[in-house]
Structures are given as C-alpha cells and as structure tokens.
Amino acid sequence: MRGGHVPKHLGMILDGNRRFARSLGLEGHEGHEFGVAKAYEVLEWCLELGIRTVTVWVFSTDNWGRSQKEVETLMNLFVKEARRMAVDPRIHANEVRVRVIGRRDRFPPKVLEALEELERATQHHQGMLLQIAMGYGGREEIVDAVKTLLLEAAQTGKSPEELAAELDIEHIGERLYTAGIPDPDFIIRTSGEVRLSGFLLWQSAHSEYYFFDAFWPAFRKVDFLRAIRSYQGRERRFGK
C-alpha cells in the first residue's frame, strides 16, 4: 500500500460518537471520549502512510444547538485534549503542526486559550499539518471569505462593480480558512451517513469520498486501510 499513491490531504468527518455510546448503554455525550481515543489512533495510521495534511471535523456551527450539558462536556474535552496535545511527545517527535479552523468567536476563553497554546507549541513543526475544524461550517466559511473580499475592496476604495468584474475562483479560495493548503484528495465519513453536511464545501469539489457504516469509535485500522486501498484504485480526472 505504501508503494501506491496516498492522499496528500485527507479529510475526515468523525461521526457516530453519541450513537456508539448509546449502543453500549451509556449517555450519548460519553461517546466523545471514545472518539478522542480513536482520533489519536487514526492520526498514527496517517503518519505511518506519510499523509501530509489531515483535516478532522470535530465540532460544527450546528453543534452549538445541542444540549447545554453536551456542549459543556465538549468544551471541557477540547481544553483537556488541546493541553495534552501541546505536550504530547508523539506530536513533537513527528513534527505535527496543528491549526484550528472555523469561527472561534463563540468559544469560551478557556477553550481559546488552550487552542492558541497548542498552535503556538507546534507552529514551527515541519511534518504533518493537522487541521482541526471547530466551530466550522462550510457555508459560513464561504460567507467569511466573501466578507473579507468586500472589506478589502472597501478599504481600497474599489466599487462593487469593479470587484464583481474581476472576481474569480482564486479570489475566494485565497480567503478561505484553508488558504494555501491543497484541497482534500479524499474524504472519509463514518457512521453510515452519506453526505458531507457542509464539510469543506468549496474545497471538496473534486474530492473522492468514502462512506463507512461503523460509528467513528469502532473504525478499525483494517477499515482505514481498505478506504485508502479504495482511493488508490480510483482514477481522478477532475472532469476531463
């Protein structure tokens, strides 16, 4: 498998934590701890295969609508895991650089502080880029890119008509949260849901997809390798 081509950028939608917990007779929010443990495992598998960029979606803009108890559980988990990752010897030994993408304005100060600490601790690493999508929504990302364009135009005195006349795909792409990062070649979603739900909407125009029935915490290494094998058997033609 290492002899074949692997994704340069792998996107993963980590779905099914709550349903996994309920299948064990636990409360739904308890599934997130299982999900975190699995994320560390899968990142190690990505490192083994030499995947250079990984984006994991852990909290969407829609997730703010969940119960207060679950949101508080997640916020505390984010703080704990960000601080853990900032000093994790595996992160530093493998030179993993961590970036957080999404809207941060609603996160509590303790979460923001922990996330910024993690980014600072890994900012000079030259190995895998791990992007953690938090407070992320694909539509919101595109809206934010357009807002940035409009504000830049206003600051330079450019009229809406002038902006519209020159606007192209690159103008949007250069103002996304992922600007400068290759678009995902391959996107995996667990839990049996066959949709993107807003994940990297702009960037995934030419991505290959793999939908797996098991819940995220039950995703095994053999399942991961089968997914990569599936990707290796595909021909990417980009509409040609």
Side-chain angles (χ1 to χ4, degrees):
M1 187 168 293
R2 288 193 183 95
H5 60 286
V6 297
K8 296 178 182 177
H9 181 178
L10 173 64
M12 291 190 289
I13 303 174
L14 322 184
D15 195 20
N17 292 329
R18 295 187 297 173
R19 281 170 284 171
F20 178 80
R22 292 186 188 115
S23 73
L24 298 178
L26 304 172
E27 291 191 46
H29 69 273
E30 296 179 86
H32 298 301
E33 291 280 0
F34 293 102
V36 167
K38 181 57 60 176
Y40 280 105
E41 279 189 74
V42 176
L43 289 174
E44 289 184 354
W45 305 340
C46 292
L47 286 166
E48 289 174 8
L49 290 183
I51 298 173
R52 294 294 300 174
T53 302
V54 176
T55 301
V56 294
W57 196 11
V58 301
F59 189 83
S60 75
T61 50
D62 293 330
N63 290 157
W64 288 112
R66 293 185 176 180
S67 70
Q68 183 178 352
K69 180 178 182 180
E70 183 173 357
V71 170
E72 288 178 355
T73 296
L74 284 165
M75 294 303 112
N76 291 331
L77 189 59
F78 294 153
V79 171
K80 182 180 76 171
E81 294 305 325
R83 289 174 176 166
R84 174 184 173 186
M85 289 182 72
V87 297
D88 192 318
R90 295 170 296 179
I91 295 292
H92 296 287
N94 289 287
E95 292 268 313
V96 177
R97 179 163 62 96
V98 182
R99 293 180 64 222
V100 178
I101 61 172
R103 290 182 172 177
R104 304 190 186 196
D105 54 301
R106 292 184 64 180
F107 286 105
K110 65 178 182 180
V111 175
L112 293 176
E113 181 182 342
L115 295 177
E116 290 165 4
E117 177 186 339
L118 172 58
E119 289 179 317
R120 285 194 300 271
T122 64
Q123 63 184 338
H124 299 301
H125 288 175
Q126 300 297 315
M128 173 196 287
L129 171 61
L130 171 60
Q131 296 188 126
I132 303 176
M134 291 179 55
Y136 177 86
R139 290 176 173 177
E140 288 82 356
E141 180 180 22
I142 295 169
V143 167
D144 288 347
V146 173
K147 284 182 177 179
T148 299
L149 271 171
L150 293 172
L151 289 171
E152 290 174 356
Q155 290 168 359
T156 59
K158 190 176 295 182
S159 70
E161 292 77 14
E162 290 173 317
L163 177 59
E166 67 179 29
L167 188 63
D168 59 21
I169 291 173
E170 285 71 28
H171 283 105
I172 301 291
E174 291 167 358
R175 290 160 180 83
L176 296 172
Y177 305 148
T178 58
I181 306 302
D183 290 340
D185 313 272
F186 193 38
I187 294 174
I188 297 173
R189 179 171 187 160
T190 55
S191 88
E193 304 292 350
V194 185
R195 60 177 182 269
L196 290 182
S197 299
F199 181 62
L200 299 179
L201 284 179
W202 182 278
Q203 301 90 327
S204 63
H206 295 291
S207 300
E208 297 291 330
Y209 305 112
Y210 189 90
F211 299 100
F212 188 72
D213 288 338
F215 300 135
W216 171 248
F219 190 55
R220 304 167 301 170
K221 188 171 186 179
V222 67
D223 302 320
F224 175 74
L225 294 178
R226 285 172 179 160
I228 298 298
R229 190 65 176 163
S230 172
Y231 171 78
Q232 291 179 334
R234 305 181 192 187
E235 179 185 1
R236 305 188 70 218
R237 294 178 293 181
F238 301 95
K240 297 178 183 177

